[in-house]
Amino acid sequence: MIKTDVLVIGAGPVGIFVVQQLGLIGLKAEVVDNLDKIGGQCIELYPDKPIYDIPALPVCTGESLTNNLLEQIKPFNTNFHLNERVEEISKEANNWKIQTSGKKFFIAPNIIIAAGVGSFEPRKFSILGAEKFENNGIFYSIKDKNLFKTKKVCIFGGGDSALDWAIELSKFAEVTLIHRRDKFRGAEHSAATVKQLEKEGKLKIKTPFQLNSIEGDNKINAITVKNEKGEVNKITTDCLLGFFGLIMKLGPIAEWGLNLDKKNIPVNTENFQTNKEGIFAIGDICTYPGKLKLILSGFHEGALAARACFKLARPNEKYRFEFTTTSKTLQGRLGLKKSD
Ligand SMILES: Cc1cc2nc3c(=O)[nH]c(=O)nc-3n(C[C@H](O)[C@H](O)[C@H](O)COP(=O)(O)OP(=O)(O)OC[C@H]3O[C@@H](n4cnc5c(N)ncnc54)[C@H](O)[C@@H]3O)c2cc1C
């Protein structure tokens, strides 16, 4: 059980920045995200695209914004729990008990939901029976590439993830890259590299084919793939990797008894609290009259939610408003020395 002042759900730009606002006022946060990396939409959807409307940053990319935000929260040594989806929450006395998909438990008087448009989840194989092999032969992300050493691996997809992993795993696994179209969607140079590796006999390419069936009881032995002409081919394999992109789902948040307006959470704009005491919503997921789904709005929402969290985390202390420019206390929390 991890005890903290605030559990932040979502490591998008707004979830990261609120950690800084919480840290400045002396509150400890833990952050949970369903994805395997930090940055939310900025990293998952547009890491290289320029953003022009972050205050005082004339231009930055999704990736550089994320890196700068992470740099800004360094003094707070925050734990990020990635690849974990917050599944359940329940009230225990004055605290919330939070459970994740990986069975991590947190206890906190406050929860800040910075979950954007919901959790990003991989699109999965649609054939019947595929779910029974999930994480036991079928994977939609790679946590440890060494698991695939010397294995027969079928990689499905035509985008960057499929191409990049085909190139990487071909160094030590028997890779077959399967895509439903002849042309790959991923970067041209990666598509050229997989074709070159095929020529050199270092991987196989099978297009335009789709998964048709999986053979095996407790583990996968083989698959069949089919093309539009109805031609079926059998491939012996140990595992399948599916890289079909991500879908966004509100997911378990819809089950927590929070008021919802379509897929958004209405909040009180005084403190960004939801209809439940101690649960706040900020960033793209919250709604109120005039809401703008911009990163800068989320930053402001986080600043106010953080101050509201203070009341529940430190019921016997009085919150004092201070500037970072002049407050020695805040500068101390930022790890600055007198000379800085
Ligand atoms: C192509 C594109 C361009 C954009 N350009 C701009 C721009 O120029 N300027 C601008 O201000 N905005 C822009 N935006 C919008 C901006 O990206 C969003 O406003 C911003 O990402 C919202 O941040 P967030 O932290 O609220 O949510 P997100 O960035 O959506 O992050 C939410 C995170 O929460 C996680 N999550 C959700 N549910 C759970 C759960 N149950 N358990 C664990 N984790 C969960 C998700 O996996 C995700 O990582 C753009 C968006 C797109 C798609």
Side-chain angles (χ1 to χ4, degrees):
M1 186 73 79
I2 301 168
K3 217 169 169 295
T4 186
D5 293 319
V6 184
L7 191 278
V8 178
I9 304 176
V14 176
I16 310 174
F17 185 68
V18 80
V19 167
Q20 198 254 9
Q21 289 295 299
L22 291 163
L24 282 177
I25 59 175
L27 298 189
K28 175 99 182 86
E30 301 275 330
V31 186
V32 179
D33 201 297
N34 198 39
L35 289 174
D36 58 359
K37 41 189 161 334
I38 298 172
Q41 291 176 53
C42 296
I43 284 294
E44 202 53 53
L45 302 180
Y46 58 101
D48 306 325
K49 283 206 165 70
I51 310 175
Y52 299 101
D53 55 357
I54 302 299
L57 274 179
V59 60
C60 63
T61 61
E63 186 175 15
S64 65
L65 175 70
T66 305
N67 289 340
N68 281 337
L69 286 166
L70 284 174
E71 183 65 32
Q72 205 169 14
I73 64 164
K74 256 193 185 158
F76 307 113
N77 293 319
T78 308
N79 294 321
F80 283 83
H81 307 265
L82 300 178
N83 284 310
E84 295 277 351
R85 189 165 83 156
V86 175
E87 295 287 344
E88 283 177 30
I89 62 166
S90 54
K91 190 98 201 198
E92 276 199 358
N94 292 330
N95 282 308
W96 290 101
K97 190 175 160 196
I98 300 109
Q99 183 186 327
T100 70
S101 48
K103 301 280 177 282
K104 283 195 181 176
F105 290 91
F106 298 86
I107 189 108
N110 299 288
I111 298 175
I112 294 183
I113 305 177
V117 276
S119 51
F120 288 92
E121 289 178 25
R123 264 198 192 87
K124 300 190 174 177
F125 290 105
S126 55
I127 68 158
L128 220 65
E131 66 290 343
K132 104 169 182 202
F133 292 108
E134 210 169 309
N135 296 320
N136 175 32
I138 293 189
F139 304 92
Y140 297 102
S141 65
I142 296 183
K143 285 180 203 159
D144 178 5
K145 64 182 179 184
N146 294 316
L147 286 178
F148 302 99
K149 259 189 185 148
T150 69
K151 294 269 164 63
K152 293 191 177 77
V153 184
C154 285
I155 300 181
F156 285 79
D160 285 320
S161 301
L163 297 178
D164 292 349
W165 280 117
I167 296 166
E168 184 60 24
L169 298 190
S170 70
K171 294 173 190 160
F172 49 74
E174 250 182 71
V175 172
T176 308
L177 176 63
I178 303 159
H179 183 40
R180 66 195 165 104
R181 298 189 207 288
D182 278 322
K183 200 170 163 12
F184 293 109
R185 271 184 298 109
E188 257 173 49
H189 67 271
S190 309
T193 307
V194 292
K195 283 183 183 150
Q196 182 58 31
L197 289 171
E198 186 193 28
K199 268 193 203 146
E200 293 168 12
K202 293 188 176 145
L203 60 73
K204 291 182 187 145
I205 297 179
K206 199 129 192 69
T207 59
F209 277 89
Q210 291 196 64
L211 183 63
N212 181 56
S213 68
I214 304 173
E215 296 176 12
D217 289 328
N218 298 324
K219 68 181 271 297
I220 297 173
N221 301 324
I223 55 166
T224 62
V225 290
K226 194 176 180 179
N227 67 11
E228 277 176 5
K229 292 180 206 146
E231 191 186 323
V232 176
N233 285 191
K234 184 167 170 168
I235 305 172
T236 50
T237 189
D238 300 308
C239 46
L240 313 187
L241 292 169
F243 295 111
F244 308 117
L246 297 164
I247 39 173
M248 295 164 204
K249 279 190 177 168
L250 188 56
I253 295 169
E255 318 293 325
W256 298 343
L258 297 169
N259 288 344
L260 290 177
D261 177 358
K262 297 194 183 98
K263 289 183 178 173
N264 296 113
I265 305 173
V267 287
N268 165 359
T269 50
E270 201 179 310
N271 53 12
F272 293 87
Q273 191 160 249
T274 65
N275 61 312
K276 298 213 178 261
E277 193 188 22
I279 303 188
F280 304 84
I282 58 174
D284 277 15
I285 194 132
C286 76
T287 185
Y288 51 86
K291 164 75 184 169
L292 281 178
K293 288 196 180 189
L294 283 176
I295 296 165
L296 67 86
S297 319
F299 290 166
H300 158 78
E301 293 156 8
L304 266 66
R307 270 75 187 170
C309 289
F310 188 89
K311 281 191 191 142
L312 293 171
R314 305 277 184 273
N316 303 321
E317 292 176 33
K318 200 168 157 30
Y319 163 71
R320 263 189 35 220
F321 174 83
E322 289 173 292
F323 289 124
T324 53
T325 11
T326 44
S327 161
K328 293 283 170 275
T329 311
L330 302 196
Q331 290 170 4
R333 287 181 184 139
L334 287 168
L336 302 172
K337 297 188 196 83
K338 283 199 179 98
S339 53
D340 287 334

